[in-house]
Amino acid sequence: MFRLCLCFVLILSDSVLCLLTQLASLERCTDAMASHSSSPVPHPSSGGSEGIFRKDRDPSSRQYRPVHSLPDVCPKEPTGEATRGLCEGPSVVADQHRWTVYNSKVNLPAALNDPRLAKRESDFFTKSWGLDFAETEVMPSFYLPNITKEHFGPYLQETAQREKIHERCKNICPNKDELDAVSSITNNHDKSRTELEQVPKIFMKPDFALDDPTTFNAVLPWSHFNSAGRKSSRDMASSRLLQEKLSHYLDVVEVSIARQISLRSEAFFHAMSSQHELQDRLTETARAVAVLRGRTAAIERIMCEGPLRALRQALTRSNCARLHNKLKLMAAVHQSQPTVQLLLSTSEFVGALELIATTKEVLQQELQGIHSFRHLGSQLCEMEKLIDKMMVEDFSMYSRSDLSRSLEDDGQVMEKDRLESLVFGLLRQRKLDFLDIYSDEMILAAKSIVTQSVVDSVSQIEEIDTDIVTKLADQMRLMTFPQWFELLKSVFENFILFLKRIKATLSVVRNVVLEALDSNQKSRLLERAAAGGLAEAPGTPLNQGEAELAYLTHEGLFISDALNDALSRLDGCGSDSASGTTESSSSREHAFQPGGAAGISEDMMPSDLELGRVANNIQELLYTASDVSHDRCVKVLMARAKDGSLERLSSAEFVFLSQAVEGFVKDTEELCCRRSVSLRGALQSQANRFVHRFHEERKTKLSLLLDNERWKQAEVPAEFQDLVNSIADGRITLPERKPQGTEERKPSDYLHIDGQKYAVVGTVLLLIRIFLEYCQCVNDIPSISTDMLTRLSDLLKHFNSRSCQLVLGAGALQVVGLKTITTKNLALASRCLQLVVHYIPVIRAHFETKLTPKQYSVLRHFDHITKDYSDHIAEISAKLVSIMDSMFEKVLSKYEVKAPMPSACFRNVCKQMAKMHEALYELLPEEQAQMLFLRINASLKIHLKRQLARLGVHHDGGPQHGLVTVDVAFYTENVQSLRTLEKLDLNMAEIWEQKR
């Protein structure tokens, strides 16, 4: 019994300590509640309305009023008894399975002693309810000034000195009451500790239990008693002693408990009174909470359940609509494969690709994860690859049929809409190498054009047996030049039509590429505009890009509706190919729209850089077409020239060929804006060969003429006079042969040029025509100007050197069989050379107009030729003078000064001078004749002076002087009697030596 009492006392002591601790906490909470601006217990304010509860400011005057119900929040709410029913608590039957606020229970001591909190919260009831209490900031009042530390500055300065003095005195002289209290508490605590140490430790163990035999035997040692059950005197004494010891322990504990209670009695009774007050407030708060809960339940039943049910039904309806739309979308996607096959049957590749791209986009965004469509994505990819192959094959077939159709058809593009659809589909699939296919087909078509042209031409020529001569090149070589030239012109015309067709087709392809490039740029502009206009008003109408977004999010036209619309259009079109092409064009235009279906696959379209490269490749393909056409024509030209037939053409025929080639080249340059050099190079090669043959023929002809020339004056036919007259008029061309009239004009003895008469030989007349042929050839073939100039200069040099060999070198004696080279031959050769020198500046000016400034250096050949001819003319003049000089030397060496006069010597001299004049008078102009006879006269004076000196005849007035004077006068009279020499100053006084 004593053990039980002791345990109860110990447990009570611990409970009292815990209770005191809790009461202290409650006291702090109560003080905090009293100091807070608002109380969780509603109290009606004295000046406020009934619906507002506030805490009384004065605790002493605190009065408790009955809790009033809140006013009705719904004007249509029933009143009276129904109101009382609404204010009641929840129904146990109706709400037994629902969690309500009434199920909320809180263990107040557990909440206060929450070990998860770092510290005790003094303002527990002012916190937001929950696991983690958060501090709330109170907005400062706008009507109170902002008090800072500076406002207390003057006060702190005044009290600072007194505070220091107070603290110093407090430390020196501590409070007596505090010292007594501390000493008493210390003494009592030490005393109670000493007394409690007398109690055995076993009673203080937390696991103390008397039902444990060990503990029971330790507390009550029954071993000291008689085991037989008999009570001896010693056992009685031990029992009494044990009882007194336990009583002593009990008294010590009771005294210690009483001491502890007496020390904490004030706090205990204060806590008890605070607990009663708190209980009253909690009771009143519970009543207010019950009223609030009732009204909340009524509000939930009347005002919340209906709207929530409406919202729930609206959400359910929206979910059902979404499910229905999703099922429609699944049905539309399920029909995508048959629709793609239907579009492919009409070659609607663009529409099929757009449908596949849209379906793949829907599968990735809207229908992702649906089990029934797990294989549809891979099937669409395989179908897209199949469409790529079909488009490439279709484009190849289109290119082949377009390029191989008859060139006589109109120049319109074949199936333009189909071509545009194919090109856009290939661009969309990034098949940017489709131009290579067109290039290959173009090369094959160019070969077939030449083959077909040759076959058509050969079929009209009966002389060529195609069974024997099978090769096209051999067949072309068997043609005459007119036949082959007609074939060449036919090839040129066909290639011009061929290039026009290619240019028209490539123009359509280029427009599609530029349209795609423009579409990409517009798409980027719309994206930027959409990115900048996200904050627009909600009432703004949707633009094209937003409409597409609505389409994808099922706010606009659904894919099923779009497919049904497409199917209806296809059914309406039927099997009409034109309608199919129109649909292709419309789908392509729709795909080009920045907000159309192309926006879905915008990433699949080539970039601007790639499209720019394709556009450049299109232009390069046109250049290639021009080069291929020229290469084919070169093969036709080379096949004809293989046996040298082009070199044997006449100048007129080669001019026709050159003009035809030059015209074709110019037409292709204007059409393709490309300067192809292959055909011109081949023509230049043939022209060089032609020039070489042309020059060799004329050089050989000139050599034959010179070898047969007898160097006699020839008559000048009227046509040659007309020829030089045309040159005088500035036309360096060969005049057309006029038909012979009834009256033929007589030839003249001289060639009249610029008021001068030229006595010429027949070879020079032909030479004039030859170099006019050179000039005419340069007019017709400007590309051979430099080569022709070099050959003409060579021809003129050959004439000069060969004529020098024949006349001055006396080669004509052996070649032609002349007996001697007379002065007349020499004068005639000089006059011919002068005629050539007269035309050299004319020829030079003509060639200068045909050359570029960089080629002017070749004109120096004419300067060299002029110098050579001038030297040759001077040599002929010197030759004439030397002939007379040798005669003077021979005759005057036998001169004797004696009668009769005039002497035979001077008679012979005058006779020779008359013969010379007679030979030169009709050949040389007056000025040249006078200069020549002055030089002959000078030679005479030299020889006469030398002979007189040898004879010793002086100018002394003697008889010999007189005889010489008579002979000189006779000579002078005879010379001046000759035509054109009347005014010639012979100055014969120079024959006499001057006396020193």
Side-chain angles (χ1 to χ4, degrees):
M1 187 65 182
F2 174 74
R3 173 71 63 180
L4 293 175
C5 293
L6 182 60
C7 291
F8 174 75
V9 169
L10 292 175
I11 292 172
L12 180 61
S13 176
D14 293 338
S15 300
V16 169
L17 290 176
C18 181
L19 180 61
L20 290 176
T21 304
Q22 293 180 3
L23 288 176
S25 300
L26 288 175
E27 181 180 5
R28 288 194 300 272
C29 294
T30 304
D31 294 338
M33 291 168 58
S35 63
H36 201 271
S37 59
S38 62
S39 173
V41 182
H43 292 282
S45 176
S46 59
S49 62
E50 292 182 357
I52 300 175
F53 295 86
R54 299 182 182 277
K55 187 180 75 171
D56 294 336
R57 294 184 179 275
D58 188 5
S60 62
S61 62
R62 185 179 302 136
Q63 297 179 359
Y64 299 98
R65 296 181 182 181
V67 178
H68 296 278
S69 63
L70 295 173
D72 295 337
V73 297
C74 182
K76 296 182 181 180
E77 197 175 322
T79 57
E81 296 296 328
T83 305
R84 255 189 248 99
L86 293 176
C87 295
E88 293 176 357
S91 174
V92 177
V93 177
D95 300 335
Q96 61 180 339
H97 299 295
R98 294 177 55 194
W99 187 93
T100 63
V101 293
Y102 296 104
N103 296 333
S104 175
K105 298 179 180 179
V106 178
N107 186 356
L108 184 60
L112 292 175
N113 295 322
D114 189 355
R116 292 173 294 180
L117 298 180
K119 60 180 180 178
R120 301 290 181 178
E121 299 291 345
S122 60
D123 51 351
F124 172 76
F125 290 98
T126 63
K127 293 290 183 178
S128 299
W129 194 259
L131 180 61
D132 299 326
F133 300 129
E135 294 285 347
T136 57
E137 296 182 0
V138 180
M139 291 293 293
S141 175
F142 297 101
Y143 302 100
L144 297 177
N146 187 15
I147 304 300
T148 61
K149 188 176 181 180
E150 284 73 11
H151 291 81
F152 299 94
Y155 173 76
L156 292 176
Q157 291 178 358
E158 293 178 1
T159 59
Q161 188 64 27
R162 286 181 286 176
E163 183 181 4
K164 293 180 180 178
I165 297 173
H166 173 70
E167 291 295 333
R168 189 182 303 113
C169 295
K170 184 177 179 182
N171 293 331
I172 296 173
C173 300
N175 192 357
K176 183 179 180 181
D177 296 335
E178 292 179 358
L179 293 175
D180 296 339
V182 170
S183 60
S184 61
I185 291 173
T186 303
N187 295 330
N188 293 332
H189 181 68
D190 295 339
K191 184 177 180 181
S192 62
R193 178 180 295 274
T194 303
E195 293 176 350
L196 286 174
E197 288 179 353
Q198 298 177 3
V199 179
K201 300 299 182 181
I202 193 173
F203 295 104
M204 303 299 181
K205 290 182 178 181
D207 56 349
F208 178 82
L210 290 177
D211 54 355
D212 186 6
T214 305
T215 304
F216 187 82
N217 293 328
V219 174
L220 298 175
W222 297 108
S223 60
H224 297 91
F225 301 99
N226 189 3
S227 59
R230 291 176 299 182
K231 297 181 179 179
S232 63
S233 58
R234 189 180 63 178
D235 295 336
M236 292 297 293
S238 298
S239 301
R240 192 178 298 109
L241 181 61
L242 180 60
Q243 185 176 3
E244 290 178 358
K245 186 184 294 185
L246 293 175
S247 299
H248 176 68
Y249 292 159
L250 179 61
D251 294 340
V252 170
V253 171
E254 287 178 353
V255 169
S256 178
I257 290 173
R259 184 181 298 111
Q260 292 294 332
I261 291 174
S262 64
L263 290 175
R264 291 172 175 79
S265 61
E266 184 178 357
F268 176 77
F269 289 110
H270 183 270
M272 293 300 295
S273 62
S274 298
Q275 182 70 15
H276 290 307
E277 183 180 356
L278 181 61
Q279 289 294 333
D280 295 339
R281 292 188 181 183
L282 289 176
T283 301
E284 195 167 345
T285 301
R287 286 198 302 268
V289 168
V291 174
L292 182 60
R293 285 180 174 177
R295 287 193 170 274
T296 302
I299 290 172
E300 179 183 6
R301 184 172 59 257
I302 296 172
M303 300 183 66
C304 296
E305 287 183 358
L308 287 176
R309 188 181 301 108
L311 291 176
R312 188 178 296 106
Q313 291 176 354
L315 182 60
T316 302
R317 183 179 181 277
S318 176
N319 292 335
C320 292
R322 289 184 179 180
L323 178 60
H324 180 255
N325 293 334
K326 189 74 70 174
L327 292 175
K328 286 174 62 180
L329 187 61
M330 292 176 64
V333 170
H334 182 68
Q335 293 296 324
S336 61
Q337 286 181 306
T339 307
V340 168
Q341 295 175 357
L342 181 61
L343 293 173
L344 292 179
S345 64
T346 59
S347 298
E348 187 65 28
F349 299 111
V350 177
L353 289 173
E354 294 298 333
L355 180 57
I356 290 175
T358 305
T359 305
K360 291 170 66 176
E361 191 75 15
V362 171
L363 284 175
Q364 292 177 0
Q365 295 184 359
E366 302 293 332
L367 303 179
Q368 188 175 9
I370 295 180
H371 187 71
S372 60
F373 290 152
R374 65 187 182 277
H375 300 304
L376 183 58
S378 59
Q379 294 173 0
L380 292 176
C381 292
E382 293 297 329
M383 192 173 294
E384 192 171 10
K385 294 179 181 178
L386 178 62
I387 293 175
D388 291 347
K389 296 180 180 178
M390 293 177 64
M391 284 194 301
V392 172
E393 293 177 358
D394 199 2
F395 183 78
S396 178
M397 293 175 59
Y398 174 85
S399 302
R400 189 178 303 110
S401 60
D402 179 51
L403 294 174
S404 61
R405 62 192 174 104
S406 177
L407 296 173
E408 298 177 357
D409 296 345
D410 56 355
Q412 299 295 330
V413 180
M414 182 185 71
E415 299 182 10
K416 180 179 178 181
D417 294 333
R418 177 189 173 191
L419 175 62
E420 292 176 345
S421 177
L422 282 173
V423 172
F424 178 74
L426 292 170
L427 289 177
R428 188 184 180 280
Q429 296 303 109
R430 292 181 176 271
K431 299 293 182 181
L432 305 182
D433 56 347
F434 65 93
L435 294 178
D436 298 337
I437 301 174
Y438 193 84
S439 178
D440 297 337
E441 297 296 335
M442 179 183 65
I443 294 174
L444 295 176
K447 293 181 180 179
S448 64
I449 286 176
V450 175
T451 303
Q452 188 63 35
S453 299
V454 175
V455 171
D456 294 341
S457 298
V458 171
S459 63
Q460 299 176 2
I461 302 174
E462 297 179 357
E463 292 80 4
I464 301 177
D465 190 356
T466 55
D467 295 334
I468 300 176
V469 183
T470 57
K471 293 184 178 181
L472 298 180
D474 297 337
Q475 294 174 0
M476 284 189 286
R477 283 191 288 271
L478 291 177
M479 295 179 182
T480 62
F481 176 76
Q483 293 172 346
W484 178 83
F485 188 65
E486 290 298 325
L487 168 64
L488 183 64
K489 290 194 295 184
S490 175
V491 171
F492 286 165
E493 292 175 359
N494 290 337
F495 271 119
I496 290 297
L497 296 176
F498 178 68
L499 291 177
K500 288 182 178 179
R501 177 173 297 174
I502 290 176
K503 184 176 181 180
T505 303
L506 293 182
S507 178
V508 174
V509 176
R510 183 181 179 87
N511 291 335
V512 173
V513 174
L514 295 180
E515 197 172 349
L517 184 61
D518 184 61
S519 176
N520 285 355
Q521 295 175 354
K522 288 182 179 179
S523 299
R524 288 196 300 272
L525 291 177
L526 287 177
E527 288 177 0
R528 294 174 184 173
L534 292 177
E536 292 182 356
T540 306
L542 294 176
N543 57 20
Q544 198 167 6
E546 293 173 348
E548 179 64 25
L549 182 60
Y551 169 80
L552 292 177
T553 55
H554 310 305
E555 296 176 6
L557 182 66
F558 288 96
I559 187 173
S560 59
D561 301 330
L563 292 178
N564 293 333
D565 190 13
L567 289 175
S568 63
R569 289 201 305 271
L570 289 174
D571 294 338
C573 292
S575 61
D576 189 1
S577 61
S579 301
T581 56
T582 304
E583 175 64 24
S584 171
S585 177
S586 63
S587 63
R588 183 184 61 82
E589 292 176 358
H590 173 69
F592 272 133
Q593 298 298 326
I600 301 175
S601 60
E602 182 181 355
D603 295 338
M604 298 179 62
M605 288 298 295
S607 62
D608 293 351
L609 181 60
E610 292 173 335
L611 292 176
R613 289 176 180 172
V614 173
N616 293 333
N617 292 337
I618 293 173
Q619 188 63 36
E620 290 295 332
L621 186 58
L622 185 60
Y623 296 159
T624 304
S626 177
D627 294 340
V628 168
S629 302
H630 282 243
D631 293 341
R632 293 291 104 191
C633 294
V634 167
K635 291 186 178 298
V636 175
L637 197 64
M638 291 295 103
R640 178 69 180 182
K642 188 174 182 180
D643 59 350
S645 59
L646 294 182
E647 301 175 15
R648 296 189 295 270
L649 295 178
S650 64
S651 59
E653 290 175 342
F654 194 85
V655 165
F656 291 152
L657 174 62
S658 175
Q659 290 175 348
V661 171
E662 193 66 25
F664 174 73
V665 170
K666 289 182 178 180
D667 291 340
T668 55
E669 287 179 0
E670 294 177 358
L671 192 62
C672 303
C673 301
R674 170 76 165 185
R675 183 178 178 84
S676 299
V677 296
S678 58
L679 186 57
R680 274 182 173 157
L683 180 63
Q684 184 66 36
S685 175
Q686 294 301 318
N688 293 335
R689 296 180 182 179
F690 168 77
V691 168
H692 178 72
R693 184 197 57 80
F694 179 87
H695 173 67
E696 291 299 327
E697 285 182 356
R698 279 145 185 79
K699 187 176 180 180
T700 303
K701 182 178 181 180
L702 182 61
S703 298
L704 293 175
L705 290 174
L706 288 173
D707 291 341
N708 294 316
E709 181 60 56
R710 302 188 66 85
W711 296 101
K712 292 182 179 181
Q713 184 177 359
E715 293 180 348
V716 179
E719 61 179 4
F720 281 95
Q721 185 62 51
D722 295 337
L723 186 64
V724 296
N725 292 338
S726 66
I727 297 175
D729 295 336
R731 299 189 302 271
I732 313 297
T733 57
L734 289 174
E736 298 180 359
R737 292 184 178 272
K738 298 180 180 179
Q740 294 181 355
T742 56
E743 297 181 359
E744 294 183 359
R745 293 183 295 173
K746 295 182 180 180
S748 61
D749 296 333
Y750 298 95
L751 191 64
H752 298 274
I753 301 174
D754 295 338
Q756 293 187 11
K757 297 187 302 180
Y758 285 89
V760 294
V761 296
T763 304
V764 173
L765 293 177
L766 294 176
L767 177 62
I768 293 175
R769 185 172 183 86
I770 288 174
F771 70 67
L772 285 179
E773 289 177 354
Y774 277 79
C775 295
Q776 180 66 39
C777 195
V778 169
N779 288 338
D780 298 330
I781 314 174
S783 60
I784 62 174
S785 298
T786 56
D787 197 9
M788 193 64 76
L789 186 149
T790 306
R791 303 304 173 92
L792 179 57
S793 63
D794 179 67
L795 183 71
L796 294 176
K797 289 178 181 180
H798 176 70
F799 173 77
N800 182 41
S801 62
R802 187 60 179 161
S803 60
C804 182
Q805 293 173 3
L806 293 173
V807 180
L808 284 178
L813 299 179
Q814 292 81 18
V815 175
V816 184
L818 295 179
K819 295 181 180 180
T820 181
I821 301 298
T822 62
T823 55
K824 197 169 185 177
N825 297 138
L826 291 173
L828 193 58
S830 175
R831 198 58 176 160
C832 292
L833 294 175
Q834 292 175 20
L835 178 61
V836 176
V837 171
H838 173 78
Y839 280 112
I840 286 178
V842 179
I843 299 173
R844 176 193 177 103
H846 177 74
F847 273 90
E848 188 174 358
T849 60
K850 305 301 179 182
L851 299 176
T852 61
K854 294 181 179 180
Q855 297 173 336
Y856 284 167
S857 60
V858 298
L859 295 175
R860 67 180 182 274
H861 293 293
F862 292 111
D863 298 332
H864 300 325
I865 294 171
T866 303
K867 184 178 181 303
D868 292 341
Y869 273 72
S870 299
D871 295 341
H872 191 186
I873 294 170
E875 290 177 2
I876 293 175
S877 299
K879 182 66 176 177
L880 292 173
V881 174
S882 67
I883 292 173
M884 296 301 294
D885 183 76
S886 61
M887 186 271 297
F888 291 150
E889 183 180 4
K890 180 179 180 181
V891 173
L892 291 177
S893 64
K894 300 178 181 180
Y895 175 63
E896 295 179 356
V897 182
K898 62 182 180 178
M901 293 296 167
S903 63
C905 180
F906 268 90
R907 288 178 184 274
N908 191 13
V909 168
C910 290
K911 183 181 178 181
Q912 295 296 329
M913 290 288 285
K915 288 183 178 180
M916 176 67 73
H917 180 268
E918 184 182 359
L920 301 179
Y921 170 72
E922 298 293 337
L923 300 178
L924 298 179
E926 182 178 353
E927 295 80 5
Q928 291 185 18
Q930 291 177 358
M931 293 297 299
L932 180 61
F933 276 94
L934 285 175
R935 292 177 63 185
I936 293 173
N937 182 61
S939 176
L940 174 68
K941 289 188 291 183
I942 293 173
H943 289 288
L944 181 58
K945 183 177 180 180
R946 187 181 301 139
Q947 184 64 23
L948 291 175
R950 186 182 302 114
L951 296 176
V953 180
H954 301 285
H955 186 53
D956 54 0
Q960 289 185 342
H961 174 261
L963 293 175
V964 173
T965 303
V966 173
D967 285 338
V968 170
F970 174 76
Y971 167 77
T972 303
E973 182 181 357
N974 279 277
V975 171
Q976 290 181 348
S977 65
L978 300 176
R979 289 185 181 182
T980 67
L981 301 180
E982 295 85 356
K983 300 179 181 180
L984 191 65
D985 186 9
L986 300 179
N987 194 12
M988 296 304 293
E990 295 181 354
I991 63 175
W992 304 106
E993 291 185 359
Q994 300 294 330
K995 292 183 179 181
R996 298 180 181 177

